Amino acid sequence: MGRDRMPGRDTPRAGFRKSTYGDGGEGCVEAATLSAARLVRDSKDPDGPTPAFTPAAWASFLDEVKRGRFDLA
């Protein structure tokens, strides 16, 4: 049996886009927008786990990233 996926999510056709902040290679995060969810995955493992977030949770996360909350330096 393959890895668990959220039911009803056609992730291969979700239109994943690589992060513009990635290294341009395979070490990137990819994101896709569906009507009721935002999906993310590791570009090195496109068949792996694909967490889903509500649009509000995703927007909140992006806001915190832009504010530098997760910066390592």
Side-chain angles (χ1 to χ4, degrees), residues 10-11 19 23 37-38 41-42 48 52:
D10 189 4
T11 57
S19 168
D23 62 10
R38 304 303 179 255
R41 69 181 183 189
D42 181 347

Side-chain angles (χ1 to χ4, degrees), residues 6 15 22-23 32 37 40 42 55 57 59 67:
M6 296 185 70
D23 62 10
V40 292
D42 181 347
R67 290 175 189 238

Side-chain angles (χ1 to χ4, degrees), residues 41-57:
R41 69 181 183 189
D42 181 347
S43 63
K44 294 178 289 195
D45 189 11
D47 294 323
T50 307
F53 302 90
T54 65

Side-chain angles (χ1 to χ4, degrees), residues 12-66:
R13 296 183 189 175
F16 282 92
R17 301 173 315 278
K18 284 189 179 182
S19 168
T20 58
Y21 293 98
D23 62 10
E26 291 188 15
C28 296
V29 171
E30 296 179 327
T33 301
L34 300 178
S35 60
R38 304 303 179 255
L39 307 175
V40 292
R41 69 181 183 189
D42 181 347
S43 63
K44 294 178 289 195
D45 189 11
D47 294 323
T50 307
F53 302 90
T54 65
W58 185 249
S60 178
F61 169 72
L62 291 180
D63 186 50
E64 294 296 321
V65 168
K66 291 174 186 175

